[in-house]
Amino acid sequence: MSETKSKRTQVGRVVSDKMDKTVTVLIERRVKHPMYDKIIVRSSKYHAHNENNEVKAGDLVEIQECRPIAKTKAWVVTKLLERAVAI
């Protein structure tokens, strides 16, 4: 019986696609301030592997944790959830 631990997944917006095979994904989460009980937005940016350069800036994507691919890249894009609206 080998139990495989499921990898973390997060949903975020692509803010940069200027690198080759890499995108920068912004993850926003809402937390309650411990003293003032006000909801505040915390954000984190992750570099994610984008093998065929199919996702572009503004797209909503799902990323999954993986082994380190580069110095700052340890996530991979698994799904394109929503395309960016063209203006």
Side-chain angles (χ1 to χ4, degrees):
M1 260 193 213
S2 65
E3 288 186 25
T4 58
K5 189 175 180 183
S6 62
K7 299 187 175 166
R8 290 192 300 162
T9 61
Q10 295 189 3
V11 176
R13 186 82 50 190
V14 176
V15 291
S16 172
D17 62 343
K18 295 185 186 302
M19 297 170 276
D20 186 32
K21 295 187 179 182
T22 305
V23 290
T24 304
V25 180
L26 180 74
I27 307 291
E28 288 185 337
R29 57 192 179 89
R30 287 159 175 73
V31 295
K32 186 180 277 197
H33 192 280
M35 179 184 283
Y36 301 117
D37 288 339
K38 182 182 167 98
I39 302 296
I40 53 178
V41 178
R42 300 283 176 162
S43 62
S44 302
K45 285 184 183 177
Y46 297 101
H47 287 152
H49 188 65
N50 176 21
E51 181 59 41
N52 299 320
N53 291 322
E54 69 267 4
V55 296
K56 301 295 176 197
D59 293 349
L60 190 69
V61 294
E62 179 184 77
I63 59 174
Q64 184 179 41
E65 197 174 31
C66 66
R67 64 178 180 81
I69 300 171
K71 182 180 177 181
T72 61
K73 186 163 62 164
W75 294 80
V76 63
V77 175
T78 53
K79 282 188 220 163
L80 173 63
L81 301 174
E82 178 186 300
R83 282 262 178 223
V85 290
I87 298 172

Coordinates of all heavy atoms in Angstrom, one line a residue:
M1 N 0.8 -1.2 0.0 CA 0.0 0.0 0.0 C 0.9 1.2 0.0 O 1.5 1.6 1.0 CB -0.8 0.0 1.3 CG -2.2 -0.4 1.1 SD -3.1 0.0 2.5 CE -4.2 -1.4 2.5
S2 N 0.9 1.9 -1.1 CA 1.7 3.1 -1.2 C 0.7 4.3 -1.3 O -0.1 4.4 -2.2 CB 2.6 3.1 -2.4 OG 1.9 3.1 -3.6
E3 N 0.8 5.2 -0.3 CA -0.1 6.3 -0.3 C 0.6 7.5 -1.0 O 1.7 7.8 -0.6 CB -0.5 6.8 1.1 CG -1.4 5.8 1.8 CD -1.8 6.3 3.2 OE1 -1.8 7.6 3.4 OE2 -2.2 5.5 4.0
T4 N 0.0 8.0 -2.0 CA 0.6 9.2 -2.7 C -0.1 10.5 -2.1 O -1.3 10.6 -2.1 CB 0.4 9.1 -4.2 OG1 -1.0 9.0 -4.5 CG2 1.1 7.9 -4.7
K5 N 0.7 11.4 -1.7 CA 0.2 12.6 -1.1 C -0.2 13.5 -2.3 O 0.6 13.7 -3.2 CB 1.3 13.3 -0.3 CG 0.8 14.5 0.5 CD 1.9 15.0 1.4 CE 1.4 16.2 2.1 NZ 2.4 16.8 3.0
S6 N -1.4 14.1 -2.3 CA -1.8 14.9 -3.3 C -1.1 16.3 -3.3 O -0.8 16.8 -2.2 CB -3.4 15.2 -3.3 OG -3.7 15.8 -2.0
K7 N -0.8 16.8 -4.4 CA 0.0 18.0 -4.5 C -0.9 19.2 -4.4 O -2.1 19.2 -4.8 CB 0.8 18.0 -5.8 CG 1.7 16.9 -5.9 CD 2.6 17.0 -7.1 CE 3.5 15.8 -7.0 NZ 4.3 15.4 -8.0
R8 N -0.4 20.3 -3.8 CA -1.2 21.5 -3.6 C -1.5 22.1 -5.0 O -0.7 22.1 -5.9 CB -0.4 22.5 -2.8 CG -0.2 22.2 -1.4 CD 0.4 23.3 -0.6 NE 1.6 23.8 -1.1 CZ 2.2 25.0 -0.8 NH1 1.5 25.8 0.0 NH2 3.3 25.4 -1.3
T9 N -2.7 22.6 -5.1 CA -3.2 23.3 -6.3 C -3.7 24.7 -5.9 O -4.3 24.8 -4.8 CB -4.2 22.6 -7.1 OG1 -5.4 22.4 -6.3 CG2 -3.7 21.2 -7.6
Q10 N -3.5 25.7 -6.7 CA -4.0 27.0 -6.4 C -4.5 27.6 -7.7 O -4.1 27.3 -8.8 CB -3.0 27.9 -5.8 CG -2.5 27.4 -4.4 CD -1.6 28.4 -3.7 OE1 -1.4 29.5 -4.2 NE2 -1.1 28.0 -2.6
V11 N -5.5 28.6 -7.6 CA -6.0 29.2 -8.8 C -5.6 30.7 -8.7 O -5.7 31.3 -7.7 CB -7.6 29.1 -8.8 CG1 -8.1 29.9 -10.0 CG2 -8.0 27.7 -8.9
G12 N -5.1 31.2 -9.9 CA -4.7 32.6 -9.9 C -4.7 33.2 -11.3 O -4.9 32.5 -12.3
R13 N -4.3 34.5 -11.3 CA -4.3 35.2 -12.6 C -2.9 35.4 -13.1 O -2.0 35.7 -12.3 CB -4.9 36.6 -12.3 CG -5.2 37.4 -13.5 CD -6.4 37.2 -14.3 NE -7.6 37.1 -13.6 CZ -8.8 36.7 -14.2 NH1 -8.7 36.4 -15.5 NH2 -9.9 36.6 -13.5
V14 N -2.6 35.2 -14.4 CA -1.3 35.3 -15.0 C -1.0 36.8 -15.1 O -1.8 37.5 -15.8 CB -1.2 34.6 -16.4 CG1 0.1 34.9 -17.0 CG2 -1.5 33.1 -16.2
V15 N 0.1 37.3 -14.6 CA 0.4 38.7 -14.6 C 1.6 39.0 -15.6 O 1.7 40.1 -16.0 CB 0.7 39.3 -13.2 CG1 -0.6 39.4 -12.4 CG2 1.8 38.6 -12.5
S16 N 2.3 38.0 -15.9 CA 3.5 38.1 -16.8 C 3.7 36.9 -17.6 O 3.7 35.8 -17.1 CB 4.7 38.5 -16.1 OG 5.8 38.5 -16.9
D17 N 3.9 37.0 -18.9 CA 4.3 35.9 -19.8 C 5.5 36.2 -20.7 O 5.6 35.6 -21.7 CB 3.1 35.4 -20.6 CG 2.6 36.5 -21.6 OD1 3.0 37.7 -21.4 OD2 1.9 36.2 -22.5
K18 N 6.3 37.1 -20.2 CA 7.4 37.5 -21.0 C 8.6 36.5 -21.1 O 9.4 36.6 -22.0 CB 8.0 38.9 -20.4 CG 6.9 40.0 -20.6 CD 7.5 41.3 -20.1 CE 6.5 42.4 -20.1 NZ 5.8 42.6 -21.4
M19 N 8.6 35.6 -20.1 CA 9.7 34.6 -20.1 C 9.3 33.4 -21.0 O 8.1 33.2 -21.3 CB 10.0 34.1 -18.7 CG 10.5 35.1 -17.8 SD 10.5 34.6 -16.1 CE 8.8 34.9 -15.6
D20 N 10.3 32.6 -21.5 CA 10.1 31.5 -22.3 C 9.7 30.3 -21.4 O 10.5 29.9 -20.5 CB 11.3 31.2 -23.2 CG 11.0 30.1 -24.2 OD1 9.9 29.9 -24.7 OD2 12.0 29.3 -24.5
K21 N 8.5 29.7 -21.7 CA 8.0 28.5 -21.0 C 7.8 28.8 -19.5 O 7.7 27.9 -18.7 CB 9.0 27.3 -21.1 CG 9.1 26.8 -22.6 CD 9.8 25.5 -22.6 CE 9.9 25.1 -24.1 NZ 10.6 23.8 -24.2
T22 N 7.6 30.0 -19.1 CA 7.4 30.4 -17.7 C 6.4 31.5 -17.6 O 6.4 32.5 -18.5 CB 8.7 30.8 -17.0 OG1 9.6 29.8 -17.1 CG2 8.4 31.1 -15.5
V23 N 5.4 31.4 -16.7 CA 4.5 32.5 -16.4 C 4.6 32.9 -15.0 O 4.9 32.1 -14.1 CB 3.1 32.2 -16.9 CG1 2.9 32.1 -18.3 CG2 2.6 30.9 -16.2
T24 N 4.2 34.1 -14.6 CA 4.1 34.6 -13.3 C 2.6 34.6 -12.9 O 1.9 35.3 -13.6 CB 4.7 36.0 -13.1 OG1 6.1 35.9 -13.5 CG2 4.7 36.4 -11.6
V25 N 2.3 33.9 -11.8 CA 0.9 33.8 -11.5 C 0.7 34.5 -10.1 O 1.4 34.3 -9.2 CB 0.4 32.3 -11.4 CG1 -1.0 32.2 -11.0 CG2 0.7 31.6 -12.7
L26 N -0.3 35.4 -10.0 CA -0.7 36.1 -8.8 C -1.8 35.4 -8.1 O -2.9 35.2 -8.7 CB -1.1 37.5 -9.1 CG -1.4 38.4 -7.9 CD1 -0.2 38.8 -7.2 CD2 -2.2 39.6 -8.4
I27 N -1.6 35.0 -6.9 CA -2.6 34.3 -6.1 C -3.0 35.3 -5.0 O -2.2 35.8 -4.2 CB -2.0 33.0 -5.4 CG1 -1.3 32.1 -6.4 CG2 -3.1 32.3 -4.6 CD1 -2.2 31.4 -7.3
E28 N -4.3 35.5 -4.9 CA -4.9 36.4 -3.9 C -5.7 35.6 -2.9 O -6.5 34.8 -3.4 CB -5.7 37.5 -4.5 CG -4.9 38.6 -5.3 CD -5.7 39.7 -5.8 OE1 -7.0 39.5 -6.0 OE2 -5.2 40.8 -6.0
R29 N -5.6 35.9 -1.6 CA -6.4 35.2 -0.6 C -6.9 36.3 0.4 O -6.2 37.2 0.6 CB -5.7 34.1 0.1 CG -4.4 34.5 0.8 CD -3.6 33.3 1.2 NE -2.3 33.8 1.8 CZ -2.2 34.0 3.1 NH1 -3.2 33.8 3.9 NH2 -1.1 34.5 3.6
R30 N -8.1 36.1 0.8 CA -8.7 37.0 1.8 C -8.6 36.4 3.2 O -9.1 35.3 3.4 CB -10.2 37.2 1.4 CG -10.3 38.1 0.2 CD -11.6 37.9 -0.5 NE -11.8 38.8 -1.6 CZ -11.2 38.7 -2.8 NH1 -10.3 37.7 -3.0 NH2 -11.3 39.6 -3.8
V31 N -8.1 37.2 4.1 CA -7.9 36.8 5.5 C -8.5 37.9 6.4 O -8.5 39.1 6.0 CB -6.4 36.5 5.9 CG1 -5.9 35.4 5.1 CG2 -5.6 37.7 5.6
K32 N -8.9 37.5 7.6 CA -9.5 38.4 8.5 C -8.3 38.9 9.4 O -7.5 38.1 9.9 CB -10.5 37.7 9.4 CG -11.2 38.7 10.3 CD -12.3 38.0 11.1 CE -13.5 37.9 10.4 NZ -14.7 37.6 11.2
H33 N -8.3 40.2 9.6 CA -7.2 40.8 10.5 C -7.5 40.4 11.9 O -8.6 40.4 12.4 CB -7.3 42.3 10.4 CG -6.1 43.0 11.0 ND1 -6.0 43.2 12.4 CD2 -5.0 43.5 10.5 CE1 -4.9 43.8 12.7 NE2 -4.2 44.0 11.5
P34 N -6.4 39.9 12.6 CA -6.7 39.3 14.0 C -7.2 40.3 15.0 O -8.0 39.9 15.9 CB -5.3 38.8 14.4 CG -4.3 39.5 13.5 CD -5.0 39.8 12.2
M35 N -6.8 41.6 14.9 CA -7.3 42.6 15.9 C -8.5 43.3 15.4 O -9.5 43.5 16.2 CB -6.2 43.5 16.2 CG -6.6 44.6 17.3 SD -5.3 45.8 17.6 CE -4.2 44.9 18.6
Y36 N -8.5 43.8 14.2 CA -9.6 44.7 13.7 C -10.7 44.0 13.0 O -11.7 44.6 12.6 CB -9.0 45.7 12.8 CG -7.9 46.5 13.5 CD1 -6.6 46.5 13.1 CD2 -8.2 47.3 14.6 CE1 -5.6 47.2 13.7 CE2 -7.2 48.0 15.3 CZ -5.9 48.0 14.8 OH -5.0 48.7 15.5
D37 N -10.6 42.7 12.8 CA -11.7 41.9 12.2 C -12.1 42.4 10.8 O -13.2 42.2 10.4 CB -12.9 41.8 13.1 CG -12.6 40.9 14.3 OD1 -11.7 40.0 14.2 OD2 -13.4 41.0 15.3
K38 N -11.2 43.0 10.1 CA -11.5 43.5 8.8 C -10.9 42.5 7.8 O -9.8 42.0 8.0 CB -10.9 44.9 8.6 CG -11.1 45.5 7.2 CD -10.5 46.9 7.1 CE -10.5 47.4 5.7 NZ -11.5 48.3 5.5
I39 N -11.6 42.3 6.7 CA -11.1 41.4 5.7 C -10.0 42.1 4.8 O -10.3 43.2 4.3 CB -12.2 40.9 4.8 CG1 -13.3 40.1 5.6 CG2 -11.7 40.0 3.7 CD1 -12.8 38.9 6.2
I40 N -8.8 41.5 4.7 CA -7.8 42.1 3.9 C -7.3 41.1 2.9 O -7.4 39.9 3.1 CB -6.6 42.6 4.8 CG1 -6.1 41.5 5.7 CG2 -7.0 43.8 5.6 CD1 -4.9 41.9 6.6
V41 N -6.7 41.6 1.8 CA -6.3 40.8 0.7 C -4.8 40.6 0.8 O -4.0 41.6 0.8 CB -6.7 41.4 -0.6 CG1 -6.2 40.5 -1.8 CG2 -8.2 41.5 -0.7
R42 N -4.4 39.3 0.9 CA -2.9 39.0 0.8 C -2.7 38.4 -0.5 O -3.5 37.6 -1.0 CB -2.6 38.0 1.9 CG -2.8 38.5 3.3 CD -1.8 39.4 3.8 NE -2.1 39.9 5.1 CZ -1.2 40.5 5.9 NH1 0.0 40.6 5.5 NH2 -1.6 40.9 7.1
S43 N -1.5 38.7 -1.1 CA -1.2 38.1 -2.4 C 0.2 37.6 -2.5 O 1.1 38.0 -1.7 CB -1.3 39.2 -3.5 OG -0.5 40.3 -3.3
S44 N 0.4 36.6 -3.3 CA 1.7 35.9 -3.5 C 1.9 35.7 -5.0 O 0.9 35.4 -5.7 CB 1.8 34.6 -2.8 OG 1.6 34.7 -1.5
K45 N 3.1 35.8 -5.5 CA 3.4 35.6 -6.9 C 4.3 34.3 -7.0 O 5.2 34.1 -6.2 CB 4.2 36.7 -7.5 CG 3.4 37.9 -7.8 CD 4.2 39.0 -8.5 CE 3.4 40.2 -8.7 NZ 4.3 41.3 -9.3
Y46 N 3.9 33.4 -7.9 CA 4.7 32.2 -8.2 C 5.1 32.1 -9.6 O 4.3 32.5 -10.5 CB 3.8 31.0 -7.8 CG 3.4 30.9 -6.4 CD1 2.1 31.3 -6.0 CD2 4.3 30.4 -5.4 CE1 1.7 31.2 -4.7 CE2 3.9 30.3 -4.1 CZ 2.6 30.7 -3.7 OH 2.3 30.6 -2.4
H47 N 6.2 31.6 -9.9 CA 6.6 31.3 -11.3 C 6.1 29.9 -11.6 O 6.4 28.9 -10.8 CB 8.1 31.4 -11.5 CG 8.7 32.7 -11.5 ND1 9.9 33.1 -11.1 CD2 8.1 33.9 -11.8 CE1 10.1 34.4 -11.2 NE2 9.0 34.9 -11.6
A48 N 5.5 29.7 -12.7 CA 4.9 28.4 -13.1 C 5.4 28.0 -14.5 O 5.5 28.8 -15.4 CB 3.4 28.4 -13.0
H49 N 5.6 26.7 -14.6 CA 6.1 26.2 -15.9 C 4.9 26.1 -16.9 O 3.8 25.6 -16.6 CB 6.7 24.8 -15.7 CG 7.3 24.2 -17.0 ND1 8.5 24.8 -17.5 CD2 7.0 23.1 -17.7 CE1 8.8 24.1 -18.6 NE2 8.0 23.1 -18.7
N50 N 5.1 26.6 -18.1 CA 4.1 26.7 -19.2 C 4.7 26.1 -20.4 O 5.3 26.9 -21.2 CB 3.7 28.2 -19.3 CG 2.7 28.4 -20.4 OD1 2.0 27.5 -20.8 ND2 2.7 29.7 -20.9
E51 N 4.7 24.8 -20.6 CA 5.4 24.1 -21.6 C 5.3 24.6 -23.0 O 6.3 24.9 -23.7 CB 5.1 22.6 -21.5 CG 5.8 21.7 -22.5 CD 7.3 21.8 -22.3 OE1 7.8 21.7 -21.2 OE2 8.1 21.8 -23.3
N52 N 4.1 24.8 -23.5 CA 3.9 25.2 -24.9 C 3.6 26.7 -25.1 O 3.1 27.1 -26.1 CB 2.8 24.4 -25.5 CG 3.1 22.9 -25.5 OD1 4.2 22.5 -25.7 ND2 2.1 22.1 -25.2
N53 N 3.8 27.5 -24.0 CA 3.5 28.9 -24.1 C 2.1 29.2 -24.5 O 1.8 30.1 -25.2 CB 4.5 29.7 -25.0 CG 5.9 29.7 -24.5 OD1 6.1 29.8 -23.3 ND2 6.9 29.6 -25.3
E54 N 1.1 28.4 -24.0 CA -0.3 28.5 -24.4 C -1.0 29.5 -23.6 O -2.0 30.0 -24.1 CB -1.0 27.2 -24.4 CG -1.3 26.6 -23.0 CD -0.2 25.6 -22.6 OE1 0.8 25.4 -23.3 OE2 -0.4 25.0 -21.5
V55 N -0.6 29.8 -22.4 CA -1.4 30.8 -21.6 C -0.7 32.2 -21.7 O 0.5 32.3 -21.8 CB -1.5 30.4 -20.1 CG1 -2.3 29.1 -20.0 CG2 -0.2 30.2 -19.4
K56 N -1.5 33.2 -21.6 CA -1.1 34.6 -21.8 C -1.4 35.4 -20.6 O -2.2 35.0 -19.7 CB -1.7 35.2 -23.1 CG -1.4 34.4 -24.4 CD 0.1 34.5 -24.7 CE 0.4 33.6 -25.9 NZ 1.9 33.3 -26.0
A57 N -1.0 36.6 -20.6 CA -1.2 37.5 -19.4 C -2.7 37.8 -19.3 O -3.4 38.0 -20.4 CB -0.5 38.8 -19.6
G58 N -3.3 37.8 -18.1 CA -4.7 38.0 -17.9 C -5.5 36.7 -17.8 O -6.6 36.8 -17.3
D59 N -5.0 35.6 -18.2 CA -5.7 34.3 -18.1 C -5.8 33.9 -16.7 O -4.9 34.1 -15.8 CB -5.0 33.2 -18.9 CG -5.0 33.5 -20.4 OD1 -5.7 34.4 -20.8 OD2 -4.3 32.8 -21.1
L60 N -6.9 33.2 -16.4 CA -7.1 32.5 -15.1 C -6.7 31.1 -15.2 O -7.2 30.4 -16.1 CB -8.6 32.6 -14.6 CG -8.9 32.2 -13.2 CD1 -8.3 33.2 -12.2 CD2 -10.4 32.1 -13.0
V61 N -5.7 30.7 -14.4 CA -5.2 29.3 -14.5 C -5.1 28.6 -13.1 O -5.2 29.2 -12.1 CB -3.7 29.3 -15.1 CG1 -3.7 29.9 -16.5 CG2 -2.8 30.2 -14.2
E62 N -5.0 27.3 -13.2 CA -4.8 26.5 -12.0 C -3.3 26.0 -12.1 O -2.9 25.5 -13.1 CB -5.7 25.3 -12.0 CG -5.5 24.4 -10.8 CD -6.4 23.2 -10.8 OE1 -6.1 22.2 -11.6 OE2 -7.4 23.1 -10.1
I63 N -2.6 26.1 -11.0 CA -1.2 25.7 -10.9 C -1.1 24.6 -9.9 O -1.9 24.6 -8.9 CB -0.2 26.8 -10.7 CG1 -0.5 27.5 -9.4 CG2 -0.2 27.8 -11.8 CD1 0.5 28.6 -9.0
Q64 N -0.1 23.7 -10.1 CA 0.1 22.6 -9.2 C 1.6 22.5 -8.8 O 2.4 22.8 -9.6 CB -0.3 21.3 -9.8 CG -0.2 20.1 -8.9 CD -0.6 18.8 -9.6 OE1 -0.3 18.6 -10.8 NE2 -1.4 18.0 -8.9
E65 N 1.8 22.2 -7.5 CA 3.2 22.2 -7.0 C 3.9 21.0 -7.6 O 3.3 19.9 -7.8 CB 3.1 22.0 -5.5 CG 4.4 22.3 -4.8 CD 4.2 22.3 -3.3 OE1 3.4 21.6 -2.8 OE2 4.9 23.1 -2.6
C66 N 5.2 21.1 -7.9 CA 6.0 20.0 -8.5 C 7.4 20.2 -7.9 O 7.7 21.0 -7.1 CB 5.9 20.1 -10.0 SG 6.7 21.5 -10.7
R67 N 8.2 19.3 -8.4 CA 9.6 19.4 -8.0 C 10.3 20.7 -8.6 O 9.7 21.2 -9.6 CB 10.4 18.2 -8.6 CG 10.5 18.1 -10.1 CD 11.3 16.9 -10.5 NE 11.3 16.9 -12.0 CZ 12.1 17.6 -12.8 NH1 13.0 18.5 -12.2 NH2 12.1 17.5 -14.1
P68 N 11.3 21.2 -8.0 CA 11.9 22.4 -8.5 C 12.4 22.2 -9.9 O 13.2 21.3 -10.2 CB 13.1 22.7 -7.6 CG 12.7 22.0 -6.3 CD 11.9 20.8 -6.7
I69 N 12.0 23.1 -10.8 CA 12.4 23.1 -12.2 C 13.6 24.1 -12.5 O 14.4 23.8 -13.3 CB 11.2 23.4 -13.1 CG1 10.1 22.3 -12.9 CG2 11.6 23.4 -14.6 CD1 8.8 22.7 -13.6
A70 N 13.5 25.2 -11.7 CA 14.6 26.2 -11.8 C 14.7 26.8 -10.4 O 14.1 26.3 -9.5 CB 14.2 27.3 -12.8
K71 N 15.6 27.8 -10.3 CA 15.8 28.4 -9.0 C 14.6 28.9 -8.3 O 14.4 28.7 -7.1 CB 16.9 29.5 -9.2 CG 17.3 30.2 -7.9 CD 18.3 31.3 -8.1 CE 18.6 32.0 -6.8 NZ 19.6 33.1 -7.0
T72 N 13.7 29.5 -9.1 CA 12.5 30.1 -8.5 C 11.2 29.4 -9.0 O 10.1 29.9 -8.7 CB 12.4 31.6 -8.8 OG1 12.4 31.8 -10.2 CG2 13.6 32.4 -8.2
K73 N 11.3 28.4 -9.8 CA 10.1 27.8 -10.4 C 9.9 26.4 -9.9 O 10.7 25.4 -10.1 CB 10.3 27.7 -11.9 CG 9.1 27.3 -12.7 CD 9.2 27.6 -14.1 CE 10.3 27.0 -14.9 NZ 10.1 27.1 -16.3
A74 N 8.8 26.2 -9.1 CA 8.4 24.9 -8.5 C 7.0 24.6 -8.7 O 6.4 23.9 -7.9 CB 8.9 24.8 -7.1
W75 N 6.3 25.2 -9.7 CA 4.9 25.1 -9.9 C 4.7 24.8 -11.4 O 5.6 25.2 -12.2 CB 4.1 26.3 -9.5 CG 4.1 26.5 -8.1 CD1 5.0 27.1 -7.3 CD2 3.1 26.2 -7.1 NE1 4.7 27.2 -6.0 CE2 3.5 26.6 -5.9 CE3 1.8 25.5 -7.3 CZ2 2.7 26.4 -4.7 CZ3 1.0 25.3 -6.1 CH2 1.5 25.8 -4.9
V76 N 3.7 24.1 -11.8 CA 3.4 23.9 -13.2 C 1.9 24.2 -13.5 O 1.0 24.0 -12.7 CB 3.7 22.4 -13.6 CG1 2.9 21.4 -12.9 CG2 3.6 22.2 -15.1
V77 N 1.6 24.8 -14.7 CA 0.3 25.1 -15.1 C -0.4 23.9 -15.5 O 0.0 23.1 -16.3 CB 0.2 26.2 -16.2 CG1 -1.2 26.4 -16.7 CG2 0.9 27.5 -15.8
T78 N -1.6 23.6 -14.8 CA -2.3 22.3 -15.1 C -3.5 22.6 -16.0 O -3.8 21.8 -16.9 CB -2.7 21.6 -13.8 OG1 -3.5 22.5 -13.0 CG2 -1.5 21.1 -13.1
K79 N -4.2 23.7 -15.7 CA -5.5 24.0 -16.5 C -5.6 25.4 -16.8 O -5.2 26.3 -16.0 CB -6.7 23.6 -15.6 CG -7.0 22.2 -15.6 CD -8.4 22.0 -14.9 CE -8.4 20.8 -13.9 NZ -9.4 20.8 -13.0
L80 N -6.1 25.7 -18.0 CA -6.5 27.1 -18.3 C -8.0 27.2 -18.0 O -8.8 26.6 -18.7 CB -6.2 27.3 -19.8 CG -6.7 28.7 -20.4 CD1 -6.0 29.8 -19.7 CD2 -6.4 28.7 -21.9
L81 N -8.4 28.0 -17.0 CA -9.8 28.0 -16.6 C -10.5 29.1 -17.4 O -11.7 28.9 -17.7 CB -9.8 28.3 -15.1 CG -9.2 27.3 -14.2 CD1 -9.2 27.8 -12.8 CD2 -9.9 26.0 -14.3
E82 N -9.9 30.2 -17.7 CA -10.6 31.3 -18.4 C -9.6 32.1 -19.1 O -8.6 32.5 -18.6 CB -11.3 32.2 -17.3 CG -12.1 33.3 -17.8 CD -12.6 34.2 -16.6 OE1 -13.4 33.6 -15.8 OE2 -12.2 35.3 -16.5
R83 N -9.9 32.4 -20.4 CA -9.1 33.3 -21.2 C -9.3 34.8 -20.8 O -10.4 35.2 -20.4 CB -9.5 33.1 -22.7 CG -8.9 31.9 -23.3 CD -7.6 32.2 -24.0 NE -7.0 31.0 -24.6 CZ -5.7 30.8 -24.5 NH1 -4.9 31.6 -23.9 NH2 -5.3 29.7 -25.0
A84 N -8.3 35.6 -21.1 CA -8.4 37.0 -20.8 C -9.3 37.6 -21.9 O -9.3 37.2 -23.0 CB -7.0 37.7 -20.9
V85 N -10.0 38.6 -21.5 CA -10.9 39.3 -22.4 C -10.1 40.3 -23.3 O -9.3 41.0 -22.7 CB -12.1 40.1 -21.7 CG1 -13.1 39.1 -21.1 CG2 -11.6 41.0 -20.7
A86 N -10.3 40.2 -24.6 CA -9.6 41.1 -25.5 C -10.3 42.5 -25.5 O -11.5 42.5 -25.7 CB -9.5 40.5 -26.9
I87 N -9.5 43.5 -25.4 CA -10.1 44.9 -25.4 C -9.9 45.5 -26.7 O -8.8 45.5 -27.3 CB -9.5 45.8 -24.2 CG1 -9.8 45.1 -22.9 CG2 -10.0 47.2 -24.3 CD1 -9.1 45.8 -21.7

